[in-house]
Each structure stands twice: as structure tokens, then as C-alpha cells.
Amino acid sequence: MKLSDFKALTFDVYGTLIDWESGMVTALQPLTDKVSRYLSRDDILEAHAYHESTSQRWTPAKKYSDLLGVVYRRLAEEWDVEVTWEECAAYGLSVRQWPAFDDSREALAYLKEHFRLVVLTNTDNLSFSGSNGRLGVHFDGVYTAEDVGSYKPADRNFEYMLETLTRNGIARHEILHTAESMFHDHAPANRHGLANCWIYRRHDKQGFGATMNPGDMPTVDFRFDSMADLVEAHKQELAAG
């Protein structure tokens, strides 16, 4: 199997292209500054992962920016901090400010010359539009949780993507699902028979950070520690003929 075998790269965005962990920690600072006990970065991220995935499971049709407001309130309750709903809602609107990884923009510009680029994201359309501006590329397809009415790792999101791409002339075997999250992306990619590429942004860290532990680790067809490494591997393939 080679990268050049594929026609389309389908991307998770947050954690893969956008540095959502840094974005979260920064946007949560008005809350975490009020917590009386010490919280490590991973303490914050792991608590966020639990409340985010729980809220997504219980309210799959809720828009992501609204759902993040609920997550903020659940975190405040867990950490025994009093907050207003206005503060919760402000956190929900922070997604558009979360930074891109340093290599994302340049890597996407290169990959756009060789692949169809598609987004399968757990955010809403307005939040993603802000992130898309930071990534600087026109995606050939954008499928949000708001469009689908559910959140990854639900099968529904992948079924929606596959059905839409099939209509656009891209078959399942021509898709390489490219993501960081084992929980949200690689486990369901395995279930749906999709080739997959792990962008292991947390390769130098312990644990799963802002994503839930997937349990049994999914299998992956490619693994790179960054988007820049993915691009370099593709260039080497082309040079080798």
C-alpha cells in the first residue's frame, strides 16, 4: 500500500490539523485559574475529553459550540467553581480562535495538488469556518457533526461521508482517512474498512489527552508524527517512481 494509491484524504481537523489541546487549555484558563487544587495540562484535557464525549453521546444533535458550553459547566461543577452561562457560552465560541499546527497550512497546500481533500469533523459549520481560514485551503468536501446530526465515533458520520463521496465518484478503496484520534477516527475507520493514516501528534506525550481511551488499539496502515512527515513520505514515493 502506498500513499499515492489514494484519490482522497479525509481529515479529522481538531487534534490533527488544528492544535485543539492548546486551544482548549488557553480558552479554559478563566475557569482553571479559579480552581483551588493543582491541575496538570493532562488533568484538564482528560476531564474535558470525558465531559465532551459524554455530552456528544447524550445530545448528538446539539451544535458543537453549544455543547462546549455544557462541557464548561460540567468542568466547573467537577472542580467546584461557580460560573455564569455567559462564561460557558463564551468558551463554546472559542473554537474559531484555536491555532493551527505549524505544519498544517503548508502540508495541505502541497497535498491539494495530489488529492481531493475532505473534512469529517465533530464541530459545527460556523466554528469550522474560522478554522478553515487558518488552514488556508479549499476543501473539496466539508462534513460537520452539525450536518450529520451526530458525533464521531458514531457510524452515522462515516456512513454519511462514504455515501456522499460515492456520489462524487470516490470509492471506499480510494479514501485514506487521516487523523490523530484513535477513539473518534481510527476505531470507526477500522469498522468501515477504510485505509487509515495516524498523524500521531502526541507521540512525545503519555496518554490520550483530549480524546478518550479507545480501549483496544485500532490498526493503522500509515503512521507519521506530523503532517510534514506525511508530505515528505509522499514526495519520496514520487521520487522513487
Side-chain angles (χ1 to χ4, degrees):
M1 185 181 294
K2 298 190 299 182
L3 293 167
S4 52
D5 291 338
F6 300 96
K7 182 184 292 186
L9 303 181
T10 55
F11 282 100
D12 168 61
V13 175
Y14 298 88
T16 306
L17 304 175
I18 295 290
D19 184 1
W20 74 330
E21 292 189 345
S22 294
M24 285 176 185
V25 170
T26 298
L28 287 170
Q29 194 167 347
L31 172 59
T32 55
D33 281 350
K34 299 177 185 177
V35 179
S36 59
R37 65 181 186 274
Y38 171 73
L39 294 171
S40 69
R41 180 182 173 94
D42 279 344
D43 288 338
I44 296 166
L45 295 173
E46 289 165 11
H48 194 285
Y50 172 79
H51 289 296
E52 182 190 68
S53 64
T54 301
S55 295
Q56 289 172 343
R57 178 164 49 85
W58 281 104
T59 55
K62 188 184 288 289
K63 190 167 71 170
Y64 188 65
S65 57
D66 294 336
L67 184 141
L68 282 185
V70 176
V71 171
Y72 194 92
R73 183 160 62 186
R74 295 287 91 86
L75 290 169
E77 292 166 352
E78 180 173 322
W79 296 332
D80 197 25
V81 174
E82 184 175 340
V83 295
T84 66
W85 180 248
E86 288 73 19
E87 291 172 300
C88 299
Y91 177 64
L93 297 175
S94 70
V95 177
R96 288 172 285 177
Q97 308 306 318
W98 294 355
F101 286 106
D102 290 342
D103 62 350
S104 293
R105 192 180 184 102
E106 184 177 349
L108 290 170
Y110 169 83
L111 294 169
K112 178 73 172 176
E113 299 175 3
H114 302 277
F115 301 94
R116 301 282 294 278
L117 304 183
V118 174
V119 162
L120 183 67
T121 177
N122 269 356
T123 50
D124 56 89
N125 290 304
L126 184 59
S127 295
F128 175 72
S129 69
S131 301
N132 199 169
R134 296 176 185 277
L135 297 173
V137 71
H138 172 73
F139 288 97
D140 299 287
V142 175
Y143 314 139
T144 68
E146 184 179 15
D147 296 337
V148 182
S150 59
Y151 287 93
K152 297 179 297 182
D155 289 331
R156 176 184 174 95
N157 298 68
F158 286 80
E159 291 162 0
Y160 180 97
M161 178 183 76
L162 288 167
E163 181 177 311
T164 308
L165 289 178
T166 297
R167 179 172 175 81
N168 290 331
I170 300 172
R172 187 186 308 253
H173 71 273
E174 296 175 312
I175 298 167
L176 181 63
H177 191 59
T178 307
E180 203 284 333
S181 176
M182 287 286 163
F183 175 78
H184 296 101
D185 289 278
H186 293 295
N190 283 184
R191 291 198 301 271
H192 288 274
L194 284 168
N196 58 331
C197 176
W198 187 17
I199 306 299
Y200 191 15
R201 294 288 191 180
R202 287 183 57 88
H203 63 276
D204 57 348
K205 301 178 179 66
Q206 297 294 315
F208 294 93
T211 68
M212 294 293 286
N213 187 325
D216 293 337
M217 286 292 281
T219 60
V220 296
D221 296 298
F222 301 91
R223 178 202 144 164
F224 304 104
D225 290 345
S226 67
M227 287 294 295
D229 289 350
L230 166 61
V231 166
E232 184 58 32
H234 185 262
K235 289 179 177 178
Q236 289 179 11
E237 275 189 15
L238 297 185

